[in-house]
Amino acid sequence: MLGPVIWSLLNTAATVVIPFLLFIIFARTGEAYQVGAVGIAVSILEILKTFCPQGLYEVLLRPETTREEECASLGLLLLSGLIATAVYMGVIVLVGRYMPDLQAIGPILLLLAPKLLFDVTSVQPQAALARQLTFRRLAMRTVIANFVAAGVGSVLAFAGHALEGLILYYLLQSMLNFFLVARGQMGRVRPTLGTAPLKALFREAGYSSAVRIVAAANNYADTLVVSGFVSAALVGTYNLAKRIETVLMSTSSSFSVIMYQPLFASRGAAPRSEIVTTAMRLTTVLFGLPIIIFVSFPEEWVGWVFGDRWLNAAPVCALLALSGLARIYGGIYGSLLSVSGRNHVLLIYALCSMIVGLGSVVLLSRYGLVWVALAIAVKSWVFYLVSAYLTRRETGPVIATCFWNVLSPLLLFSLIAAGATRAVALSAPTGLHGIPASVLMIALSSVVAMASVLVIYRRDLSKISNLVRVKIAEKRSPAKPT
């Protein structure tokens, strides 16, 4: 199991860290309206992609999948990808008529169209590799594709062609992903058009595709709604903040697939409450503490990472970071629902979350991005509590669990940050020995918060330390003769 977990983590790091670092480069080198326009185009592309039958991926993972089913699936994916690509081009032209900023760079946005085709068509060969448990190849193709595409895009960005670099990154990443995953599959599987081999797959694939549509709408549609009320430059501001939330959501998905779902699936109802408690405490330490430090000093972090011209995005970034944290906590309970025969409940939950979120965006966009981000953050925390309530019979008292493992430590971290800010403001308001006051505040709050973590979670840390020592001792001990 260690090998698959390592390759899965590497795959996740390539899909989360590299794109985020690249986005920082483009945020510093590109124009705000260009970043916003590309964000709109990518959102349109991702939503159109979900209307293709990507749910075939889960069905094609079955060991009994036949060659006829693979060929028919590839043909259906290719056809739907071509149709979606044409629709994307039409939508970009149509939207450009009503958005001058997007129309100004419309021709180059059309170059993103092949990305949709490559992404959709790669579903079949990727499922074939996953069915063979070739985790290393799946991970390495993601690492190679992201690394090469990011390198080419970064060179163009630093050369003064940020927009072209960003477009080429997206396109090259999808092309390399497809060719690396399809290598060795092209000769064995040829696309065919026919419904007979797919009849038995339609129901399950349709249900899975529906879940993907809801998830994509929940993740991307708010950017499109916001674009209808504000300028492309402000969409760029929102898109920057949205990147932070997206990184947290991607990380949550990784933890769910690698850790939480297998644990819940392999345990009975009794130990599940212990797993939930441990997962929540782990989330608080790994993500809660850094996010509270970020939220307490958003202008400093945004200025350092993205540049001073994005300082107006700081409050929006802080609120969407809190939203992302809530979705990490909610992902724990979502993992439990997904492996306990309640996917229909999970679909209804996701639909309600999407409707409430998009409704809030529509109602509040005219009042400013801060109100939109606040509504999304509140929605995320409310639905986190809803997900906890849906699993209350297995996980124990909702209020007590959330209070002791989430609210109390997060509130403590917030008070520490506020205390550090006050202490520095009173003792060294202009800095100390050349160190800016903002750096002193963040350093002091981080050190004190880490110290509190060592005290509060000392028993958990002791258990982890003992486990590591046992593993090291087992590796160092000589093998017994057989």
Side-chain angles (χ1 to χ4, degrees):
M1 282 295 292
L2 183 59
V5 169
I6 292 175
W7 290 116
S8 298
L9 287 173
L10 183 61
N11 181 78
T12 303
T15 56
V16 173
V17 178
I18 294 178
F20 184 71
L21 293 177
L22 190 66
F23 183 78
I24 294 174
I25 294 175
F26 290 121
R28 285 180 167 273
T29 57
E31 298 293 334
Y33 84 91
Q34 293 178 344
V35 175
V38 174
I40 294 171
V42 172
S43 296
I44 294 172
L45 188 145
E46 291 294 335
I47 290 175
L48 286 175
K49 192 195 303 182
T50 62
F51 287 94
C52 300
Q54 293 186 95
L56 286 168
Y57 178 80
E58 284 78 9
V59 180
L60 293 175
L61 290 176
R62 303 178 310 165
E64 63 270 19
T65 300
T66 64
R67 185 175 181 276
E68 289 74 18
E69 291 174 340
E70 287 190 295
C71 293
S73 297
L74 181 59
L76 181 59
L77 289 165
L78 180 60
L79 177 62
S80 64
L82 288 170
I83 295 173
T85 299
V87 173
Y88 165 80
M89 298 176 72
V91 170
I92 290 297
V93 173
L94 180 63
V95 173
R97 294 182 178 180
Y98 301 95
M99 296 185 64
D101 289 334
L102 191 142
Q103 187 178 26
I105 59 173
I108 195 171
L109 293 179
L110 292 176
L111 295 178
L112 280 173
K115 170 179 169 57
L116 200 157
L117 179 61
F118 285 118
D119 287 349
V120 172
T121 311
S122 65
V123 167
Q124 182 274 323
Q126 181 176 341
L129 288 180
R131 190 171 62 246
Q132 299 165 15
L133 303 180
T134 54
F135 297 104
R136 181 180 181 276
R137 183 173 170 186
L138 284 170
M140 289 308 299
R141 61 104 192 187
T142 303
V143 173
I144 293 172
N146 277 276
F147 186 79
V148 173
V152 174
S154 299
V155 169
L156 285 175
F158 286 123
H161 303 283
L163 176 61
E164 292 80 0
L166 185 57
I167 295 295
L168 187 58
Y169 161 72
Y170 281 119
L171 184 58
L172 191 58
Q173 177 207 35
S174 294
M175 290 176 59
L176 289 174
N177 262 326
F178 172 75
F179 286 113
L180 289 173
V181 77
R183 183 170 53 88
Q185 295 285 320
M186 295 180 178
R188 193 181 71 86
V189 178
R190 300 284 185 180
T192 60
L193 293 178
T195 59
L198 299 177
K199 285 183 178 179
L201 312 181
F202 277 145
R203 182 176 181 180
E204 187 177 351
Y207 179 80
S208 180
S209 296
V211 174
R212 288 172 181 263
I213 291 174
V214 175
N218 207 14
N219 293 338
Y220 294 100
D222 56 333
T223 301
L224 299 179
V225 174
V226 166
S227 68
F229 295 90
V230 301
S231 66
L234 287 178
V235 176
T237 298
Y238 186 79
N239 190 39
L240 181 141
K242 188 70 178 177
R243 287 282 174 157
I244 296 175
E245 185 189 35
T246 302
V247 166
L248 295 173
M249 289 188 297
S250 299
T251 306
S252 171
S253 177
S254 174
F255 271 75
S256 296
V257 172
I258 295 171
M259 293 180 58
Y260 303 146
Q261 288 177 332
L263 284 174
F264 287 135
S266 62
R267 301 294 197 279
R272 285 176 173 172
S273 61
E274 298 179 6
I275 297 173
V276 168
T277 300
T278 302
M280 293 174 71
R281 292 166 71 87
L282 180 66
T283 299
T284 299
V285 174
L286 293 180
F287 304 106
L289 173 56
I291 289 174
I292 292 300
I293 297 299
F294 171 78
V295 169
S296 300
F297 309 97
E299 292 188 359
E300 287 78 8
W301 287 112
V302 169
W304 294 338
V305 176
F306 299 106
D308 291 341
R309 66 194 180 95
W310 293 99
L311 288 178
N312 62 326
V316 183
C317 290
L319 289 169
L320 290 188
L322 289 175
S323 172
L325 178 60
R327 297 183 73 162
I328 294 178
Y329 286 117
I332 299 171
Y333 296 102
S335 299
L336 176 54
L337 289 171
S338 68
V339 299
S340 56
R342 286 171 286 182
N343 280 288
H344 62 289
V345 176
L346 191 59
L347 178 59
I348 296 173
Y349 167 86
L351 280 169
C352 292
S353 177
M354 179 194 68
I355 293 171
V356 172
L358 293 182
S360 301
V361 173
V362 171
L363 293 174
L364 298 174
S365 287
R366 67 191 67 184
Y367 299 107
L369 296 182
V370 173
W371 285 102
V372 171
L374 177 61
I376 291 176
V378 171
K379 184 267 297 185
S380 297
W381 282 97
V382 168
F383 274 87
Y384 151 62
L385 294 175
V386 171
S387 66
Y389 178 79
L390 292 174
T391 60
R392 65 194 181 280
R393 295 181 179 178
E394 297 140 297
T395 60
V398 174
I399 301 300
T401 302
C402 296
F403 178 80
W404 290 112
N405 298 293
V406 179
L407 181 60
S408 292
L410 293 183
L411 182 59
L412 175 62
F413 299 152
S414 301
L415 292 175
I416 289 173
T421 301
R422 183 65 176 169
V424 173
L426 291 175
S427 59
T430 59
L432 185 65
H433 301 300
I435 303 176
S438 58
V439 176
L440 292 175
M441 293 175 186
I442 294 175
L444 179 59
S445 59
S446 300
V447 170
V448 177
M450 285 301 300
S452 67
V453 167
L454 294 176
V455 174
I456 297 173
Y457 301 100
R458 60 187 182 278
R459 293 182 179 177
D460 303 85
L461 295 173
S462 177
K463 291 179 181 179
I464 294 174
S465 176
N466 291 335
L467 287 174
V468 171
R469 290 176 181 175
V470 169
K471 292 291 184 182
I472 294 176
E474 289 177 351
K475 289 184 177 180
R476 288 181 176 177
S477 60
K480 295 181 180 180
T482 56

